[in-house]
Amino acid sequence: MCYFDPNIRVVNRCLALGTKRMARLNAIVRSLPSVETLGCTTVICSDKTGTLTTNMMSVSKVCVIHSAHQGPVTSEYSVSGTTYAPEGFIFDGSGRQLDIPAQSPCLLHMAMCSSLCNESVLQYNPDKGAYEKIGESTEVAFRVFSEKVGLPGFDSMPSALNMLSKHERASYCNRYWENQFKKVSLLEFSRDRKMMSVLCSRKQTEMLFTKGAPESIIPRCINVLCNDDGSTVPLTSTIRTELESTFNRFAGKETLRCLALAMKRMPTHQQALSYDDEKDLTFIGLVGMLDPPRKEVRNAMLSCLTAGIRVIVVTGDNKSTAESICRKIGAFDHLDDFSEHSYTASEFEELPALQKTLALQRMAIFTRVEPAHKRMLVEALQHQNEVVAMTGDGVNDAPALKKADIGIAMGSGTAVAKSASDMVLADDNFASIVAAVAEGRAIYNNTKQFIRYMISSNIGEVVCIFVAAVLGIPDTLAPVQLLWVNLVTDGLPATAIGFNKQDSDVMKSKPRKVNEAVVSGWLFFRYLVIGAYVGLATIAGFIWWFLYSESGPKLPYAELISFDTCSTRETSYPCSIFDDRHPSTVSMTVLVVVEMFNALNNLSENQSLLVVPPWSNLWLVGSIVLTMLLHMLILYVKPLSILFSVTPLSWADWTVVLYLSFPVIIIDEILKFFSRKSHGLRFNFRLRRPDLLPKRELRDK
């Protein structure tokens, strides 16, 4: 970022204004340098669940073993309702609603397992008039499923339970099973096992209930529970094949997240569980959970594609589910297939070094990922000179968030993840990341516009003083006038430039490089041209009054440049005219007005004023109006006019001021035209603020 010590507060004010706009977009910036780095982001590694999807989990499909002896091997049920409200019904394969689902042995035991092997809470909030979750969405979906299954008996069928108050209904069935069974021991979910288990006791009977990823649960099962008569039979290869086929269909074609439930009778009076107990299980059923993609994600991902930003979906889900969700989103329609763009963590680790490099360059989906894989992915991408944004919400995600150029924590995530991040998403939405990137680019552009305005204005003042000295004419501006111009024109409009709206093409250009110069050669040439005109117009106003003004002396030019010898020779005019306040007032007013027009030029770096009109930034319009009112005040209020050595101007004077000032817009429009056509010329001229270097550059230093 550019470094200009006298105006550093205004630069920081531009950045602060941008961070406030980001906060309104649900992107809370925790680190100021990350605002600049956002504009350089080339890869976004995004979680799937809750970021690309709504994280409103609900059980949609259930598969159980019907019978191992006759008829179809499996039976499937569909479940209605997609919210946390326990309001929905279960339908069999023919579409018939089950009046008492708990009469089905498999559904009954699945409801038990869903209630007991669970650490979440489902409750009704009367203030919001909605059911709320405490805990993981996946676990709450199991509680809702248990409520939809109901309890054995006519009085406990779902339609009868719906007569209860919403507060009682929220966890009526879950509380029943928790009262029937006493939890003795718990094995928490771990990423290695991809499952969790609970040991429960009821009437001298010890039962183990387990749920987890199908690829972890099914290999540990030796028996299955049959739905037709509640019997337990051995798990044969035929049944395994049927379950795997159903699992692949649920996860692939139907884009469902799949979990399997199992149980096991344990020895009496066992008080603790070990990982060795999670074997020789009895399979109960397969659950397919629906997590709808966010509607706004597709356009956000397409915006990334247009902006030259690659998106990698990073998830712990299985490969089929992730690919299906990405197809459903529609953001990867440009890929014919995922064969060379989708990898599991284990597949990627097994690749040779050269193939890993190629895989990273085309990767779009990364599945079965653990926190260590996230950090590995960030490091690998950074070695390819990518600027990486990584999302995360868990404690174990903190190292990856810290390592990434932009660590993005979820608002619903842990405090550890938030403290390790550079930005927090209040709504956990991928679209907010893209909006933050666009805002980051806009903030950077606005800062550049501020710098451009300040440089061209200051160059104009320097040119004015220097040219006057070279030509040998009197000083065009008194020190107090120069101070007034700097305070008024550099302050209000420069601050208002920070309110510029995003350019329409802000997400249509490729990410800028981290080490790209803020002021390129072409831009600096533009600054010089505009600054030179500002200075020359100021000088021209001063000379005009002496040579051509009706109220001026109409001196020959030779007399003007010989003003210092006036007292030593005979003249047809009094030497006191060189002390007149009128010419410096004209030149000062030209300088103020030309800089107001120049402020309008800075609404956009390359867009014409016909595309980005002045009223697109009303703060800038207001600051220009206020600046002109203040200038009128010192011109026409006598005590102030004496203080600033100025005098009131006539309408003829104002006409000349406008004629001299307005061409700065025409000149800049021509320069913008060439910029749009040729994208400007570049060389390595750079001015950077060391305190705003991207995080990776600071580490390197």
Side-chain angles (χ1 to χ4, degrees), residues 15 17 63 67 207 234 299 319 337 344 411 518 591 609 650 673:
L15 294 173
L17 291 171
C63 175
S67 172
M207 293 293 299
N299 289 335
K319 193 173 183 179
D337 61 76
T344 64
V518 176
L591 182 58
L609 279 174
S650 65
F673 173 79

Side-chain angles (χ1 to χ4, degrees), residues 366-511:
F366 198 36
T367 55
R368 285 306 184 201
V369 172
E370 297 179 8
H373 294 130
K374 284 189 172 183
R375 180 181 172 88
M376 176 270 293
L377 179 63
V378 170
E379 291 177 343
L381 289 169
Q382 287 178 341
H383 286 153
Q384 295 187 353
N385 296 321
E386 304 282 5
V387 179
V388 185
M390 171 65 77
T391 67
D393 56 4
V395 173
N396 294 333
D397 291 332
L401 296 178
K402 199 73 175 176
K403 181 64 177 175
D405 298 285
I406 297 288
I408 304 173
M410 302 296 110
S412 59
T414 61
V416 175
K418 293 176 184 177
S419 64
S421 67
D422 302 292
M423 189 171 73
V424 178
L425 292 184
D427 59 354
D428 298 3
N429 195 336
F430 177 82
S432 298
I433 302 176
V434 180
V437 171
E439 191 62 41
R441 291 186 175 190
I443 292 170
Y444 182 78
N445 290 341
N446 287 349
T447 306
K448 285 177 66 177
Q449 292 308 99
F450 160 77
I451 294 167
R452 171 189 172 195
Y453 176 71
M454 297 302 298
I455 289 179
S456 57
S457 298
N458 290 333
I459 288 176
E461 294 167 9
V462 171
V463 168
C464 169
I465 297 171
F466 179 76
V467 172
V470 170
L471 294 178
I473 62 176
D475 292 337
T476 54
L477 296 172
V480 68
Q481 294 172 340
L482 198 58
L483 178 63
W484 171 257
V485 171
N486 274 280
L487 287 176
V488 176
T489 62
D490 291 355
L492 294 175
T495 302
I497 287 172
F499 290 93
N500 283 349
K501 293 183 178 179
Q502 296 179 10
D503 287 347
S504 58
D505 60 349
V506 71
M507 289 297 283
K508 294 180 180 178
S509 58
K510 292 183 179 180

Side-chain angles (χ1 to χ4, degrees), residues 243-450:
L243 287 175
E244 289 176 0
S245 175
T246 303
F247 164 57
N248 291 330
R249 175 164 52 84
F250 279 7
K253 184 177 180 181
E254 301 190 30
T255 66
L256 301 177
R257 183 180 185 183
C258 295
L259 291 173
L261 306 179
M263 64 180 183
K264 176 186 177 182
R265 185 180 293 272
M266 301 293 289
T268 308
H269 305 305
Q270 182 169 337
Q271 296 298 313
L273 282 177
S274 67
Y275 295 148
D276 292 335
D277 293 321
E278 294 177 324
K279 63 182 180 180
D280 301 334
L281 305 175
T282 298
F283 179 83
I284 306 175
L286 183 69
V287 172
M289 309 181 76
L290 180 65
D291 187 11
R294 295 180 184 268
K295 295 180 180 178
E296 62 273 21
V297 165
R298 183 177 186 273
N299 289 335
M301 295 187 78
L302 291 177
S303 179
C304 286
L305 186 66
T306 305
I309 301 173
R310 186 155 57 99
V311 178
I312 299 178
V313 178
V314 182
T315 176
D317 282 353
N318 66 73
K319 193 173 183 179
S320 299
T321 302
E323 290 178 357
S324 298
I325 287 290
C326 289
R327 285 194 183 95
K328 196 169 185 179
I329 292 173
F332 293 115
D333 291 344
H334 60 287
L335 302 178
D336 296 331
D337 61 76
F338 290 120
S339 58
E340 295 183 347
H341 304 278
S342 177
Y343 299 88
T344 64
S346 58
E347 288 173 350
F348 182 77
E349 288 179 330
E350 292 172 358
L351 292 174
L354 180 59
Q355 292 187 23
K356 275 187 180 180
T357 302
L358 296 175
L360 280 172
Q361 294 173 354
R362 58 186 178 229
M363 182 185 290
I365 303 173
F366 198 36
T367 55
R368 285 306 184 201
V369 172
E370 297 179 8
H373 294 130
K374 284 189 172 183
R375 180 181 172 88
M376 176 270 293
L377 179 63
V378 170
E379 291 177 343
L381 289 169
Q382 287 178 341
H383 286 153
Q384 295 187 353
N385 296 321
E386 304 282 5
V387 179
V388 185
M390 171 65 77
T391 67
D393 56 4
V395 173
N396 294 333
D397 291 332
L401 296 178
K402 199 73 175 176
K403 181 64 177 175
D405 298 285
I406 297 288
I408 304 173
M410 302 296 110
S412 59
T414 61
V416 175
K418 293 176 184 177
S419 64
S421 67
D422 302 292
M423 189 171 73
V424 178
L425 292 184
D427 59 354
D428 298 3
N429 195 336
F430 177 82
S432 298
I433 302 176
V434 180
V437 171
E439 191 62 41
R441 291 186 175 190
I443 292 170
Y444 182 78
N445 290 341
N446 287 349
T447 306
K448 285 177 66 177
Q449 292 308 99
F450 160 77

Side-chain angles (χ1 to χ4, degrees), residues 468-588:
V470 170
L471 294 178
I473 62 176
D475 292 337
T476 54
L477 296 172
V480 68
Q481 294 172 340
L482 198 58
L483 178 63
W484 171 257
V485 171
N486 274 280
L487 287 176
V488 176
T489 62
D490 291 355
L492 294 175
T495 302
I497 287 172
F499 290 93
N500 283 349
K501 293 183 178 179
Q502 296 179 10
D503 287 347
S504 58
D505 60 349
V506 71
M507 289 297 283
K508 294 180 180 178
S509 58
K510 292 183 179 180
R512 59 182 177 81
K513 295 181 180 179
V514 174
N515 59 353
E516 179 179 310
V518 176
V519 182
S520 66
W522 169 247
L523 280 179
F524 191 65
F525 172 76
R526 288 173 59 179
Y527 298 168
L528 289 176
V529 171
I530 296 298
Y533 181 80
V534 170
L536 293 176
T538 304
I539 292 290
F542 185 86
I543 295 175
W544 168 83
W545 188 85
F546 278 104
L547 271 60
Y548 303 107
S549 175
E550 293 296 331
S551 59
K554 294 187 177 181
L555 297 178
Y557 180 72
E559 292 290 328
L560 178 60
I561 61 177
S562 303
F563 77 98
D564 53 344
T565 61
C566 178
S567 59
T568 63
R569 54 189 174 84
E570 291 186 6
T571 60
S572 59
Y573 54 87
C575 293
S576 59
I577 62 167
F578 296 113
D579 297 324
D580 197 311
R581 293 179 296 172
H582 216 117
S584 63
T585 303
V586 172
S587 62
M588 175 187 177

Side-chain angles (χ1 to χ4, degrees), residues 117-325:
C117 193
N118 204 310
E119 292 293 296
S120 66
V121 175
L122 177 65
Q123 62 185 17
Y124 181 74
N125 187 336
D127 296 331
K128 295 183 179 179
Y131 291 90
E132 291 183 340
K133 70 180 180 75
I134 300 177
E136 295 291 334
S137 298
T138 304
E139 301 233 307
V140 176
F142 275 109
R143 289 209 178 274
V144 176
F145 171 68
S146 180
E147 296 295 331
K148 292 176 181 179
V149 172
L151 302 172
F154 180 79
D155 293 336
S156 297
M157 59 190 295
S159 57
L161 293 175
N162 289 334
M163 300 300 293
L164 299 171
S165 68
K166 291 186 176 181
H167 180 73
E168 293 177 313
R169 182 68 185 94
S171 296
Y172 182 86
C173 298
N174 284 276
R175 282 195 300 270
Y176 173 83
W177 293 119
E178 288 171 348
N179 291 332
Q180 290 292 312
F181 289 85
K182 177 186 176 182
K183 291 186 179 181
V184 178
S185 181
L186 174 70
L187 286 178
E188 296 279 0
F189 175 87
S190 70
R191 294 182 179 271
D192 295 332
R193 293 159 39 247
K194 294 183 174 62
M195 58 191 297
M196 72 173 289
S197 301
V198 61
L199 177 63
C200 299
S201 174
R202 179 175 185 261
K203 296 179 181 180
Q204 304 301 315
T205 302
E206 308 291 331
M207 293 293 299
L208 173 72
F209 292 102
T210 300
K211 75 171 187 287
E215 58 265 38
S216 297
I217 296 290
I218 296 176
R220 298 170 189 255
C221 294
I222 59 172
N223 298 312
V224 295
L225 180 67
C226 293
N227 199 43
D228 58 346
D229 56 5
S231 61
T232 300
V233 299
L235 179 57
T236 63
S237 58
T238 302
I239 297 176
R240 286 183 188 275
T241 302
E242 189 70 22
L243 287 175
E244 289 176 0
S245 175
T246 303
F247 164 57
N248 291 330
R249 175 164 52 84
F250 279 7
K253 184 177 180 181
E254 301 190 30
T255 66
L256 301 177
R257 183 180 185 183
C258 295
L259 291 173
L261 306 179
M263 64 180 183
K264 176 186 177 182
R265 185 180 293 272
M266 301 293 289
T268 308
H269 305 305
Q270 182 169 337
Q271 296 298 313
L273 282 177
S274 67
Y275 295 148
D276 292 335
D277 293 321
E278 294 177 324
K279 63 182 180 180
D280 301 334
L281 305 175
T282 298
F283 179 83
I284 306 175
L286 183 69
V287 172
M289 309 181 76
L290 180 65
D291 187 11
R294 295 180 184 268
K295 295 180 180 178
E296 62 273 21
V297 165
R298 183 177 186 273
N299 289 335
M301 295 187 78
L302 291 177
S303 179
C304 286
L305 186 66
T306 305
I309 301 173
R310 186 155 57 99
V311 178
I312 299 178
V313 178
V314 182
T315 176
D317 282 353
N318 66 73
K319 193 173 183 179
S320 299
T321 302
E323 290 178 357
S324 298
I325 287 290

